[in-house]
Amino acid sequence: MFSKKNIFFFSIVFLSLQLFSQIDSTKVKDLKIKGDVFVAQGVYKPLAPAKAAFYSAIFPGLGQIYNKKYWKAPVVWGALAIPTYYYLTNNSNYKRYRTAYRLRKNGFQDEFTDDLGNERVSLETLERAQEQLRENRDMSLLSGVILYVLQIVEASVNAHLLQFNTDDNLSIRPTLVQDPIQFDAPKVGLTLKYTF
């Protein structure tokens, strides 16, 4: 159980921290004259998130590059390469087992039967292997599609968040105030001052 001194100490420590928030980034910060053209910096660009999402949809990772988050592009490529690899592997193995199953059902020799007619893998095993490989292939495809959609969403959300500037203009500064009327019984109050 915390004593009153510990609670008071932690209150002072945590309330003395300054919390920062964001300012309105739709205002124009600077106007620089380049020839006859005014170049505005810090202007809200409503099409930037749509552009980032479009670039990511065209080529995965391109939206992250558009947002100037270059380190995210190899992460996206690696994340999409893993389900692609497993899809291709499971699909080729599925086709092998499917072909062997069909050949054996029709009475022909397959890759799992030696020249003497000895079966290394039973017909039921071939059938179960097909089902399992088809399920693994479909899960790889589903996870690849989910990762593809997530990287598009990530590029769009990141482009939205890049348009906001963090600044010290909006901050909370807690202060402790003593009761000026009653000096004999100490009381502590809390005041929050915030500026925009």
Side-chain angles (χ1 to χ4, degrees), residues 48-123:
K51 216 182 239 190
F54 176 73
Y55 288 155
S56 282
I58 295 296
F59 185 74
L62 195 58
Q64 285 76 12
I65 293 172
Y66 172 75
N67 290 336
K68 293 183 177 67
K69 302 287 184 179
Y70 303 109
W71 65 272
K72 289 184 181 180
V75 172
V76 168
W77 298 330
L80 290 174
I82 291 170
T84 303
Y85 169 77
Y86 282 114
Y87 175 82
L88 295 174
T89 303
N90 288 322
N91 193 36
S92 66
N93 287 334
Y94 170 74
K95 288 179 180 178
R96 276 183 52 215
Y97 282 90
R98 182 73 178 154
T99 304
Y101 178 77
R102 285 183 176 175
L103 287 173
R104 191 170 297 174
K105 284 290 269 188
N106 291 328
F108 296 109
Q109 183 177 357
D110 58 86
E111 71 175 284
F112 299 107
T113 306
D114 60 8
D115 294 333
L116 300 175
N118 297 328
E119 297 175 351
R120 293 181 296 185
V121 178
S122 68
L123 190 64

Side-chain angles (χ1 to χ4, degrees), residues 11 14-19 171-177 189-195:
S11 299
F14 289 123
L15 293 177
S16 65
L17 300 175
Q18 290 187 0
L19 305 174
S171 61
I172 297 175
R173 294 184 184 90
T175 57
L176 294 174
V177 179
L190 180 66
T191 302
L192 292 177
K193 296 180 182 179
Y194 57 92
T195 58

